[in-house]
Amino acid sequence: MNNRYIKIAAMIMPVLFAFLCLVFVVRNHNQASLPIPRTITFSGEYSYDGENWYPYDENSDISALDGDLTVRGHFDADIFEGEILNVYCNHIGVSIHVNGEQVYMNTPAELKSYGVDLMPSMCGKRWEQIACPEIAAEDEVEFRFMNYHKYGNKEAYKEVLSTSYLAPLDTTILESYLKPYIIPFEMIGNTLLIMGIMLLGSAFFAAVLRNRMAEYLFKTGIMTLFVGGYTVFDVMTVYLGDELLVMKTYGGQICLMLGVYFLGLHVCDGLNAKRKKTAELVMGVSGIVNTLLAAIAISGKVLLYDTKIVWEALQCVVSLMLMTLCVLELKREKTNRSLLITYICVYTAIILDIAGVGYHRFYSGICFKAAFLAMMLIILIRGAKWVIMNAQASIRVKSLEEELEESRISVMLSQIQPHFLYNVLGTIRSLCRKDPEQARNALGDFSKYLQGNMSALENRRLICFESELRHIETYLKLEKIRLGEKLSILYDVQVRDFMLPPLTIQPLVENAVKHGIFNQPGGGEVILRTRQEGDQIIISVEDNGIGFDPDAPLKQDDEHAHVGLANVRSRLKKMTGGQMMIESTLGKGTKVTVRISANLE
């Protein structure tokens, strides 16, 4: 068998059998299960004014927004002494009377009975645990409901009557019964909180490293953190921490407001041009309104819960506008289509939640939570893809740097050609007999030439043209000694103060001498010119030698020259963004022109 498949099997099999073992243990456990709460239903009649009574059952159309309500009737079973009646109260007050005697009143109802305004710390959703006396099925039970709010808890009265559970004084029993409603959203909320903290940590390190992604990571992290907080606060648990109503109510609503606000800022980053400016204006107005709502709530004039209708109305307008901008962007944008589509889905979900689609008594914002989670998965996938692409880009950059280094070394070494060394040394040897003084000067020039090449080989930065010009002059002195009258040199240098890669012009001059002038019987002239046009430096090396046909196949002797020119062109482009053009006519000569920025440093 192939070793590769053996390795894969070795990794998969332990995980598979561990999972099967867990499934087997869970399916065959004999651990005692917690008892489930006993559901008890109520039927009777209801009245808003105490005079007109209407039959009540679980299908009756009663609204908490229509005023205080009294419901009287009977439970469908006996309540034994010691049992606890658990009812779910959503921002309402409730008192219970049995056969005309009050057996329970919660704090909001007590405050309203004394004509006291509801305090923020008493406003929220919670499970009330009522230690009732023994109540027989034939006893008349009366629920008196009171509501401070005019918006947001329409179904609150029905929720009390339809979520009545009997259980011992042990919150774990009711908590266990509610797990199917609680655990999925707890997991989602905690996951989003962890993701938000990780993103904020990444934003901090990115800011320290002055990475341009810092702002994006911060917005994404803070958005995720607030939506995670909203999801956690919105879960209807029976834990002791649930007694902090103000934290769950205010914390949940503030997290929702800020989470959706930072979502809008996140959308702004995904838009371009005028659409981005429009979105930023919309979010500016939204931010001002959110601040005003929070300020009103802080003043104590209005409960934050009662400002929700204003926020939802504003959010419908903002959502529609941002959705429209995303649709317009989608028509023009090709790269961020998946994210733009997700933005549209999230804002559609927000509008659906405001309209009450998918409403559940134990949690809210189902559509928004699902759409936001999908958006975060897409953002994470895009982030992972971005990291991979950056890693690959870094590898490519490193590879290009290595190629550039190899090209640079290749160019430098190509300048120290053995035939040139042999020719110069042969010339110096000949001069030693004929003219020792000239031989000594030639040897000094040859030493400078070699030193210039070695210095260029070690230099990784741009050099001034003056340094390159001195190297060219040294080279041409040596060639002039060897070629004599066959080589004529003309310098037309109008500008000297600019930078360029080392050994950029010298190879061009050398090619002009070796391939243009040397092979021409009567010799010829090499002209070096520099001039400035705007912010461009124009350098040209021209000869009136034999020239070549650019369309003809290369001869073996010419291949080295063309490789050298290609290396010069490549280094120019990578190091400076410069250009090199070659013009040649067979029998008339060659002209090489280099264009480079005058502002290089």
Side-chain angles (χ1 to χ4, degrees), residues 533 536-539 578-581 593-597:
E533 292 182 0
Q536 292 281 308
I537 299 295
I538 314 298
I539 312 157
Q579 296 178 325
M580 186 178 80
M581 291 76 69
T593 305
V594 172
R595 287 182 172 268
I596 196 169
S597 172

Side-chain angles (χ1 to χ4, degrees), residues 580-591:
M580 186 178 80
M581 291 76 69
I582 302 174
E583 305 170 62
S584 186
T585 304
L586 195 62
K588 292 186 178 181
T590 302
K591 181 179 180 180

Side-chain angles (χ1 to χ4, degrees), residues 99-111:
N99 297 325
E101 181 181 351
Q102 180 178 303
V103 297
Y104 175 77
M105 175 180 282
N106 70 356
T107 306
E110 188 174 359
L111 290 174

Side-chain angles (χ1 to χ4, degrees), residues 36-38 82-86 165-170 173-174:
I36 63 173
R38 183 161 63 99
E83 284 189 303
I84 301 298
L85 177 64
N86 297 273
Y165 300 104
L166 293 170
L169 188 57
D170 184 353
I173 294 176
L174 181 58

Side-chain angles (χ1 to χ4, degrees), residues 225-271:
L225 195 67
F226 281 130
V227 175
Y230 161 64
T231 306
V232 169
F233 282 131
D234 193 55
V235 173
M236 195 57 227
T237 62
V238 198
Y239 296 135
L240 182 61
D242 194 51
E243 296 295 318
L244 299 174
L245 291 184
V246 66
M247 179 62 75
K248 289 186 68 68
T249 304
Y250 276 60
Q253 188 163 336
I254 288 171
C255 282
L256 175 62
M257 292 168 66
L258 292 176
V260 173
Y261 175 72
F262 277 94
L263 170 65
L265 297 183
H266 201 277
V267 171
C268 291
D269 290 337
L271 301 174

